[in-house]
């Protein structure tokens, strides 16, 4: 391999810049030259100044920018052989024979065609005297690697595409805003979101916002019947007391006969049949825009880095790969299989094979759709026959985490829909001991899906001594058959203490299940906890602003994040904001490290750097505090730069939950309720904590808590994200 070219193609999407930055810095760090090709395939065909060598600094300051800074375009000429011949010549002129292509299936198909044709194109260039045989011999093959860039999340081979999460952010901001005006006027709204062939954005945004009805290409309703069904559902919602009705539709919505369902048609039906004042909002291009979410910045960084590493290891006979993500892990799969499967799914819609289509979208698609359909009902629809009606309690414990309300809503509705009584425990374990328990109805949790804070109340008190007796009495009085604790460390500690005392207190012999909800992401048994994505997004938007405030001065910021002894928030926000140094408790900081860092800072500013960003976890070190560091850097910086500190504080715990936190809170809560019911009906019920592991939801027995958790430091014994430190180190280097 000689030099690498990188370009973005097709529709722009947020996170493309992060991928560009990571690829450029990884390549330069490994001593490989890398060129950006501006305007996608058009730049490839035009050549000249459209293909520019990248330096370390040319990708500085782009992480927080939406779209793609190197441009994208549709290009008809590249679809012709003549265009591709010119493209090959342009690449050879610059000494490039490896390409990183960021785009959708169209762009990736084009790249593969180009790769296959390459030897032939090179031969023609020699025959027509455009290049010498000696030059041709240097470039026998073109290597390519694809990264999925598309807001639709429609690419087979990756759980998420670059830009889909940011698009969801834009959509739920809009629907939340529409929801409040709709409720004020008791109006109905039809909201159309992008997705011609893929209903991901529609389903997930409907789930996240608590919408009342949804249309997606994968689940088309029967012609005509849908009108009656939708009207019945919305009427029932009104009768149950809902003040707003929101219908979310993917732009590619159809009925099962293949007829398009338009927002205009839906509006007319609602007006005619229900007499509802109905408005249409077509979200359009706002969905593409804006600063990338924390997730898209991280995803772009991981994929861009992996793409370069992959190209360095590639052999000429290797099949080209698509680099994507499964759970939290970067994975690669044969590129053309992914493209073929993506096309096959789209084709299933044309053939009206919708069941197969849903299946190919992956396991969680079908279950999320089913969940959505239960949660949007106007009232529970319990089965006619059930083994035993259970009484299940839901509570919080630990610090507040955005998404707690979302989880309670999902648990209460899911449980009630299965015919069980759902009880809310107010104010954590002390509330349970004080008997603050109330049955929750379907409408009690209406509107909770997007609400920040915790309606049930939460605190960090862990029960001890006499509390257990009071708790046992409350459980007995309310005949509780199972307990769901949605919270953080205090919740897990409290649940474990109850579990340990189950011989002493027979009432504790019920399934007790913990659902990780803490911004710190410090719970064992789960790679992610509810609330941490929202907190990360709050941190990065604050840090973006802090960085912008330093326009006129040479300044270094030391920003302190929450997280207790877990460095997740500090580390991931550092990765997503381009911090040059992150201090974590996990790294066991020494004075020597600080000396090296001070020297690095001084060198950086001497070379002309204008802004420094350092992120420190609140408990990174008991002596080297944020204040200490700021003073140290200030003293050492002298006239070269000044230092400001910023302790972000409680803004990290608040706010409306992010789309990801809402979706995952819902999924986990539903799994937990199913698990509790199953265990409550078994003679020897198990207790557990739930989580995401390797992209799947799984349960770990509560008896394993001491084995997997470091209970002194309040974090898991192994933390997956620590493996990302090498990538972060490369990204944060100053120009070599
Ligand atoms: P996306 O990559 O988002 O699916 P498009 O399908 O519009 O977007 O493709 C973007 C560009 O990729 C096209 O304008 C064209 O230059 C190139 N391209 C797409 N499909 C092919 C193809 N089959 N052969 C050659 N080039 C293609």
């Amino acid at each position: 391999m000689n030099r690498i070219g990188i370009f973005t193609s097709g529709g722009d999407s947020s996170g493309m810049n992060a991928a560009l930055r990571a690829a450029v810095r990884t390549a330069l760090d490994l001593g490989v030259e890398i060129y950006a090709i501006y305007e996608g395939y058009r730049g490839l065909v035009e050549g000249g100044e459209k293909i520019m060598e990248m330096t370390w600094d040319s990708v500085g300051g782009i992480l927080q920018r939406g779209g793609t800074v190197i441009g994208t375009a549709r290009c008809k000429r590249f679809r012709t052989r003549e265009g591709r011949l010119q493209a090959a010549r342009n690449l050879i002129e610059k000494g490039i024979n490896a390409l990183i292509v960021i785009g959708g299936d169209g762009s990736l198909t084009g790249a593969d065609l180009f790769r296959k044709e390459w030897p032939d194109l090179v031969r023609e260039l020699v025959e027509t005297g455009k290049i010498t045989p000696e030059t041709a011999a240097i470039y026998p093959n073109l290597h390519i690697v694809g990264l999925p860039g598309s807001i639709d999340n429609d690419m087979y081979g990756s759980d998420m595409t670059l830009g889909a999460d940011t698009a969801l952010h834009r959509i739920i901001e809009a629907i939340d805003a529409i929801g409040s005006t709709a409720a004020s006027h008791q109006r109905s709204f039809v909201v159309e979101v992008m997705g011609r062939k893929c209903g991901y954005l529609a389903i997930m945004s409907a789930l996240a916002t608590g919408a009342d009805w949804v249309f997606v290409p994968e689940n088309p309703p029967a012609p005509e019947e849908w009108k009656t069904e939708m009207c019945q559902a919305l009427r029932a919602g009104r009768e149950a007391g809902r003040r707003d009705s929101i219908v979310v539709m993917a732009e590619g919505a159809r009925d099962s006969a293949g007829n398009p369902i338009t927002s205009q048609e839906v509006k007319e039906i609602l007006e005619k049949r229900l007499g509802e004042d109905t408005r249409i909002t077509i979200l359009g291009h706002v969905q593409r825009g804006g600063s990338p979410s924390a997730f898209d910045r991280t995803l772009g960084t991981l994929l861009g880095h992996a793409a370069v590493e992959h190209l360095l290891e590639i052999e000429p006979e290797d099949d080209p790969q698509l680099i994507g993500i499964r759970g939290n892990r970067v994975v690669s799969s044969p590129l053309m299989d992914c493209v073929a499967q993506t096309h096959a799914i789209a084709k299933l819609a044309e053939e009206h094979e919708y069941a197969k289509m849903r299946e190919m979208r992956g396991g969680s698609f079908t279950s999320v759709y089913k969940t959505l359909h239960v949660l949007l009902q106007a009232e529970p629809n319990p089965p006619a026959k059930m083994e035993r009606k259970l009484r299940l309690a839901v509570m919080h414990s630990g610090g507040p985490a955005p998404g707690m309300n979302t989880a309670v809503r999902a648990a209460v509705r899911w449980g009630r829909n299965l015919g069980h009584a759902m009880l809310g425990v107010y104010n954590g374990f002390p509330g349970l001991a004080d008997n603050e328990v109330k049955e929750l109805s379907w409408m009690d949790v209406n509107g909770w899906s997007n609400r920040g804070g915790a309606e049930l109340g939460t605190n960090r008190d862990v029960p001890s001594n006499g509390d257990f007796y009071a708790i046992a009495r409350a459980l007995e009085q309310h005949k509780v058959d199972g307990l769901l604790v949605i919270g953080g460390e205090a919740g897990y500690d409290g649940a474990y203490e109850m579990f340990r005392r189950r011989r002493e207190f027979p009432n504790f012999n019920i399934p007790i299940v913990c659902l990780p909800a803490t911004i710190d992401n410090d719970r064992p048994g789960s790679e992610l906890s509810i609330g941490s994505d929202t907190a990360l997004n709050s941190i990065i938007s604050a840090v973006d602003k802090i960085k912008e405030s330093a326009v006129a001065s040479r300044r270094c910021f030391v920003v302190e994040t929450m997280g207790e002894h877990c460095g997740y928030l500090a580390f991931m926000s550092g990765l997503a904001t381009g911090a040059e140094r992150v201090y974590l408790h996990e790294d066991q900081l020494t004075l020597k490290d600080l000396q090296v860092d001070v020297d690095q800072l001084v060198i950086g500013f001497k070379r002309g750097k204008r802004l420094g960003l350092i992120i420190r976890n609140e408990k990174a070190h008991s002596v080297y505090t944020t204040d200490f560091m700021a003073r140290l850097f200030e003293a050492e910086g002298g006239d070269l730069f000044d230092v400001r500190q910023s302790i972000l504080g409680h803004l990290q715990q608040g706010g409306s939950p992010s789309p990801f936190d809402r979706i995952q809170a819902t999924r986990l809560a539903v799994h937990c309720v199913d698990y509790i019911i199953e265990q409550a009906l078994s003679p020897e019920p198990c207790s557990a904590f739930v989580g995401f592991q390797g992209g799947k939801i799984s349960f770990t027995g509560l008896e394993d808590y001491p084995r997997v958790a470091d209970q002194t430091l309040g974090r898991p014994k192994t933390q997956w994200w620590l493996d990302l430190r090498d990538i972060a180190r490369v990204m944060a280097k100053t120009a070599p």
Side-chain angles (χ1 to χ4, degrees):
M1 205 198 63
N2 299 285
R3 291 172 176 157
I4 299 177
I6 178 167
F7 62 95
T8 50
S9 173
D12 68 297
S13 65
S14 278
M16 285 179 160
N17 291 333
L20 170 73
R21 172 178 176 271
V24 167
R25 295 201 166 168
T26 305
L28 294 178
D29 186 54
L30 296 169
V32 180
E33 289 169 23
I34 180 161
Y35 286 68
I37 298 155
Y38 286 76
E39 321 302 339
Y41 285 114
R42 191 195 293 164
L44 204 59
V45 176
E46 287 177 13
E49 291 194 342
K50 290 268 158 49
I51 307 181
M52 296 283 277
E53 186 169 358
M54 291 276 108
T55 64
W56 198 270
D57 293 330
S58 58
V59 291
I62 63 170
L63 205 45
Q64 70 276 21
R65 287 168 65 181
T68 161
V69 294
I70 53 172
T72 177
R74 315 248 178 219
C75 173
K76 283 211 182 99
R77 267 183 78 199
F78 191 77
R79 290 180 186 268
T80 66
R81 185 176 159 96
E82 169 269 324
R84 295 192 291 274
L85 189 68
Q86 186 58 42
R89 188 177 169 190
N90 292 337
L91 286 183
I92 290 174
E93 250 166 34
K94 301 275 184 191
I96 299 168
N97 72 335
L99 288 177
I100 300 173
V101 187
I102 312 174
D105 55 341
S107 308
L108 300 175
T109 307
D112 190 58
L113 183 67
F114 190 37
R115 177 191 70 90
K116 285 197 188 115
E117 259 180 9
W118 181 267
D120 222 39
L121 295 172
V122 171
R123 195 172 313 124
E124 190 175 331
L125 288 173
V126 174
E127 280 165 14
T128 51
K130 300 274 173 25
I131 58 171
T132 64
E134 294 73 37
T135 307
I138 309 174
Y139 306 101
N141 299 298
L142 175 71
H143 304 292
I144 62 168
V145 58
L147 302 183
S150 148
I151 68 162
D152 292 340
N153 201 24
D154 55 353
M155 194 70 207
Y156 196 89
S158 187
D159 285 355
M160 288 295 275
T161 53
L162 279 173
D165 185 63
T166 304
L168 271 182
H169 273 262
R170 297 295 96 81
I171 295 170
I172 71 159
E173 281 155 18
I175 300 183
D176 285 352
I178 287 168
S180 60
T181 168
S184 306
H185 295 272
Q186 300 214 32
R187 266 190 192 132
S188 299
F189 271 85
V190 183
V191 183
E192 187 179 305
V193 303
M194 284 187 173
R196 270 192 300 258
K197 295 195 170 131
C198 179
Y200 176 85
L201 292 176
I203 285 208
M204 293 305 176
S205 60
L207 188 78
T209 55
D212 305 81
W213 201 251
V214 66
F215 292 103
V216 289
E218 291 87 347
N219 226 349
E224 292 306 314
E225 267 175 45
W226 64 263
K227 299 177 183 169
T228 319
E229 281 172 13
M230 174 182 72
C231 288
Q232 270 170 357
L234 294 201
R235 186 182 295 121
R238 287 284 190 214
E239 283 163 5
R242 276 188 193 159
R243 291 189 54 89
D244 59 340
S245 299
I246 295 191
V247 176
V248 175
M249 49 197 305
E251 58 182 337
R254 276 164 203 280
D255 67 22
S256 56
N259 312 303
I261 300 176
T262 65
S263 38
Q264 185 60 29
E265 195 181 1
V266 174
K267 169 186 154 86
E268 281 163 18
I269 287 157
L270 294 179
E271 287 186 331
K272 207 162 89 201
R273 299 202 189 172
L274 297 181
E276 294 259 344
D277 180 9
T278 308
R279 307 290 160 101
I280 296 175
T281 302
I282 296 174
L283 290 183
H285 285 80
V286 294
Q287 294 166 82
R288 284 197 180 281
S291 183
S293 66
F295 179 84
D296 275 326
R297 296 185 195 191
T298 308
L299 182 63
T301 302
L302 299 187
L303 298 186
H305 173 80
V308 171
E309 290 209 316
H310 174 78
L311 283 178
L312 289 179
E313 287 162 9
I314 213 165
E315 301 285 339
E317 60 280 6
D318 289 348
D319 282 339
Q321 300 285 306
L322 176 94
I323 312 261
I325 190 124
R326 276 272 136 73
N328 290 313
R329 304 274 169 212
V330 171
V331 292
S332 76
S333 353
L335 178 70
M336 289 324 284
D337 276 5
C338 297
V339 169
Q341 298 281 26
T342 304
H343 287 169
I345 297 177
K347 199 146 178 286
L348 287 171
E350 286 159 29
E351 292 160 358
H352 301 194
E353 294 276 2
Y354 302 109
K356 259 198 211 145
M357 191 178 177
R358 289 192 292 275
E359 197 182 306
M360 282 188 72
R361 284 264 185 251
S364 65
F365 187 94
T366 313
S367 70
V368 165
Y369 194 82
K370 197 174 140 203
T371 303
L372 173 64
H373 255 262
V374 170
L375 300 187
L376 60 66
Q377 286 167 192
E379 54 188 16
N381 196 1
K385 246 177 45 194
M386 51 194 291
E387 199 170 326
R388 199 177 112 211
K389 179 169 171 160
L390 301 167
R391 295 171 61 79
L392 310 178
V394 184
M395 62 177 283
H396 298 307
S397 174
M404 281 182 153
N405 290 325
T406 321
V408 174
R409 168 182 180 267
V412 166
R413 289 203 168 173
W414 192 256
R416 289 200 73 101
N417 196 60
L418 292 169
H420 305 293
M422 300 302 292
L423 311 171
V425 177
Y426 288 78
N427 304 319
F429 287 111
L432 182 55
D434 281 346
N435 213 359
E436 293 177 49
V437 182
K438 179 186 150 233
E439 185 163 348
L440 293 173
S441 74
W442 193 266
M443 286 304 284
D444 281 341
V445 293
N446 196 43
W448 286 24
S449 57
N450 58 8
R451 211 173 286 174
E455 295 290 317
L456 291 182
T458 185
N459 56 55
R460 291 199 167 82
D461 293 345
V462 180
S464 60
N465 308 326
D467 299 337
F468 293 108
Y469 180 71
I471 289 175
R473 227 180 28 201
L475 293 178
E476 182 171 8
Q477 187 182 334
H478 294 279
K479 300 194 176 61
V480 175
D481 296 304
L483 179 64
L484 173 60
V485 184
I486 300 165
E489 187 181 0
Y492 281 58
D493 287 350
Y496 181 66
E497 289 307 315
M498 286 174 64
F499 174 75
R500 276 201 325 145
R501 288 172 171 77
R502 65 196 187 286
R503 310 256 175 275
E504 209 179 317
F505 299 97
N507 289 313
F508 293 174
N509 218 339
I510 55 174
I512 303 172
V513 173
C514 301
L515 186 162
T518 161
I519 64 163
D520 299 343
N521 194 26
D522 61 1
R523 294 298 78 217
S526 189
E527 289 164 7
L528 291 170
S529 69
I530 303 309
S532 57
D533 183 59
T534 309
L536 264 183
N537 280 291
S538 302
I539 295 171
I540 67 164
S541 77
V543 172
D544 286 351
K545 287 182 190 130
I546 289 172
K547 282 171 79 172
E548 277 168 11
S549 76
V551 278
S553 49
R554 289 208 265 186
R555 186 166 281 177
C556 176
F557 288 99
V558 183
V559 176
E560 181 185 298
T561 68
M562 286 184 165
E564 300 277 335
H565 286 104
C566 171
Y568 180 80
L569 287 179
F571 178 78
M572 295 304 268
S573 60
L575 198 61
T577 53
E580 46 243 79
R581 185 68 163 97
V582 177
Y583 293 115
L584 315 173
H585 184 270
E586 286 86 345
D587 283 337
Q588 300 189 357
L589 180 65
T590 65
L591 185 59
K592 232 191 218 149
D593 296 329
L594 282 175
Q595 247 157 6
V596 172
D597 296 342
V598 167
D599 291 346
Q600 281 298 322
L601 268 182
V602 170
I603 293 172
F605 278 100
K606 270 191 184 149
R607 280 197 199 150
K609 168 190 179 68
R610 305 200 58 83
L611 178 79
L613 174 64
I614 286 167
I615 297 188
R616 181 185 172 279
N617 157 274
E618 60 183 356
K619 292 200 174 159
H621 197 284
S622 56
V623 176
Y624 307 141
T625 60
T626 301
D627 188 52
F628 174 91
M629 284 181 182
R631 284 162 190 260
L632 175 74
F633 296 153
E634 175 84 45
E636 294 294 315
D639 291 337
L640 207 49
F641 59 92
D642 58 24
V643 181
R644 293 286 183 277
Q645 50 176 305
S646 174
I647 296 175
L648 297 181
H650 287 83
L651 71 84
Q652 297 164 83
Q653 287 182 336
S656 178
S658 69
F660 188 79
D661 278 333
R662 297 185 199 182
I663 294 161
Q664 304 303 27
T666 306
R667 292 183 60 208
L668 287 181
V670 163
H671 273 80
C672 285
V673 170
D674 282 342
Y675 179 90
I676 293 176
I677 293 170
E678 187 191 316
Q679 295 302 323
L681 295 173
S682 88
E684 280 184 48
C686 297
S687 291
F689 39 98
V690 73
F692 297 100
Q693 295 189 40
K696 292 213 168 70
I697 295 177
S698 59
F699 290 86
T700 311
L702 207 47
E703 62 279 7
D704 282 338
Y705 184 48
R707 187 177 59 78
V708 290
D710 179 334
Q711 283 172 286
T712 323
L713 294 173
R715 68 185 186 215
K717 285 188 182 159
T718 52
Q719 304 192 88
W720 64 273
W721 52 269
L722 289 172
D723 294 349
L724 305 180
R725 278 181 295 187
D726 287 343
I727 300 176
R729 243 170 252 142
V730 173
M731 294 304 125
K733 281 186 185 168
T734 37

Coordinates of all heavy atoms in Angstrom, one line a residue, residues 9-11 41 73-76 78-79 84 103-110 113, ligand 1:
S9 N -19.3 10.3 0.7 CA -20.1 10.3 -0.6 C -21.5 10.0 -0.2 O -21.9 9.6 0.8 CB -19.5 9.1 -1.4 OG -20.3 8.9 -2.6
G10 N -22.4 10.4 -1.2 CA -23.8 10.2 -1.0 C -24.3 11.3 -0.1 O -23.8 12.4 0.0
G11 N -25.4 11.0 0.7 CA -25.9 12.0 1.6 C -24.9 12.3 2.8 O -24.3 11.3 3.2
Y41 N -17.1 11.4 -5.2 CA -16.6 10.8 -6.5 C -16.4 11.9 -7.5 O -15.6 11.8 -8.4 CB -17.6 9.8 -7.0 CG -17.6 8.5 -6.3 CD1 -18.6 8.0 -5.6 CD2 -16.4 7.7 -6.4 CE1 -18.6 6.8 -4.9 CE2 -16.3 6.5 -5.8 CZ -17.4 6.1 -5.0 OH -17.3 4.9 -4.4
A73 N -20.9 14.8 -2.9 CA -21.7 15.2 -4.1 C -22.2 13.9 -4.8 O -21.6 12.8 -4.5 CB -20.8 15.9 -5.1
R74 N -23.2 14.0 -5.6 CA -23.6 12.9 -6.4 C -22.8 13.1 -7.7 O -22.6 14.2 -8.1 CB -25.1 12.8 -6.7 CG -25.9 13.1 -5.4 CD -26.6 11.9 -5.0 NE -27.3 12.2 -3.7 CZ -27.5 11.4 -2.7 NH1 -27.0 10.2 -2.7 NH2 -28.1 11.8 -1.6
C75 N -22.3 12.0 -8.3 CA -21.5 12.2 -9.5 C -21.9 11.2 -10.6 O -21.7 10.0 -10.4 CB -20.0 12.1 -9.2 SG -19.0 12.0 -10.6
K76 N -22.5 11.7 -11.7 CA -22.9 10.9 -12.8 C -21.7 10.3 -13.5 O -21.7 9.2 -14.0 CB -23.8 11.6 -13.7 CG -25.2 11.8 -13.2 CD -26.2 11.9 -14.4 CE -27.6 12.1 -13.9 NZ -28.0 13.5 -14.0
F78 N -18.9 9.3 -12.6 CA -18.2 8.1 -12.0 C -19.0 6.8 -12.3 O -18.4 5.7 -12.3 CB -18.1 8.3 -10.5 CG -17.2 7.2 -9.9 CD1 -15.8 7.3 -10.0 CD2 -17.7 6.1 -9.2 CE1 -15.0 6.4 -9.4 CE2 -16.9 5.2 -8.7 CZ -15.5 5.3 -8.8
R79 N -20.2 7.0 -12.7 CA -21.0 5.8 -13.1 C -20.6 5.3 -14.5 O -20.9 4.2 -14.9 CB -22.5 6.1 -13.1 CG -23.0 6.3 -11.7 CD -24.5 6.6 -11.8 NE -25.0 6.9 -10.4 CZ -25.5 6.1 -9.6 NH1 -25.6 4.8 -9.9 NH2 -26.0 6.4 -8.4
R84 N -14.4 6.7 -14.5 CA -13.6 5.9 -13.5 C -12.1 5.8 -14.0 O -11.2 5.7 -13.2 CB -14.2 4.5 -13.4 CG -15.6 4.6 -12.7 CD -16.0 3.2 -12.2 NE -16.4 2.3 -13.3 CZ -17.6 2.3 -13.9 NH1 -18.6 3.1 -13.5 NH2 -17.9 1.5 -14.9
G103 N -19.9 6.2 3.2 CA -21.2 6.6 2.5 C -22.2 5.4 2.6 O -22.0 4.5 3.4
G104 N -23.2 5.5 1.8 CA -24.3 4.5 1.8 C -24.0 3.4 0.8 O -22.9 3.3 0.3
D105 N -25.0 2.6 0.6 CA -24.8 1.4 -0.2 C -24.4 1.8 -1.6 O -23.6 1.1 -2.3 CB -26.0 0.4 -0.2 CG -27.3 1.1 -0.5 OD1 -27.3 2.4 -0.5 OD2 -28.2 0.4 -0.9
G106 N -25.0 2.9 -2.1 CA -24.6 3.3 -3.5 C -23.1 3.6 -3.6 O -22.5 3.1 -4.5
S107 N -22.6 4.4 -2.7 CA -21.2 4.8 -2.7 C -20.3 3.6 -2.6 O -19.3 3.5 -3.2 CB -20.9 5.8 -1.6 OG -21.9 6.8 -1.6
L108 N -20.7 2.7 -1.7 CA -19.9 1.5 -1.5 C -19.9 0.6 -2.7 O -18.9 0.0 -3.1 CB -20.3 0.8 -0.2 CG -20.3 1.6 1.0 CD1 -20.9 0.9 2.2 CD2 -18.8 2.0 1.3
T109 N -21.0 0.5 -3.4 CA -21.1 -0.3 -4.6 C -20.2 0.3 -5.7 O -19.5 -0.5 -6.4 CB -22.6 -0.3 -5.2 OG1 -23.4 -0.7 -4.1 CG2 -22.7 -1.2 -6.4
G110 N -20.2 1.6 -5.8 CA -19.4 2.3 -6.8 C -17.9 2.0 -6.5 O -17.1 1.7 -7.4
L113 N -17.0 -1.6 -7.6 CA -16.9 -1.7 -9.0 C -15.5 -1.1 -9.5 O -14.8 -1.7 -10.3 CB -18.0 -0.9 -9.6 CG -18.1 -0.9 -11.1 CD1 -18.5 -2.3 -11.6 CD2 -19.2 0.1 -11.6
Ligands
LIG1 P1 -25.4 6.6 -1.1 O1 -24.0 6.2 -1.0 O2 -25.8 7.4 0.1 O3 -26.3 5.4 -1.2 P2 -25.8 7.3 -3.9 O4 -26.5 6.0 -4.2 O5 -26.4 8.6 -4.4 O6 -25.7 7.6 -2.3 O7 -24.3 7.2 -4.4 C1 -23.4 8.2 -4.3 C2 -22.5 8.3 -5.5 O8 -21.8 7.0 -5.5 C3 -23.2 8.4 -6.8 O9 -23.5 9.7 -7.2 C4 -22.1 7.8 -7.8 O10 -21.1 8.7 -8.1 C5 -21.6 6.7 -6.9 N1 -22.2 5.4 -7.3 C6 -23.4 4.9 -6.7 N2 -23.7 3.7 -7.3 C7 -22.7 3.5 -8.2 C8 -22.5 2.4 -9.2 N3 -23.3 1.4 -9.2 N4 -21.4 2.5 -9.9 C9 -20.6 3.6 -9.9 N5 -20.8 4.6 -9.0 C10 -21.8 4.6 -8.2

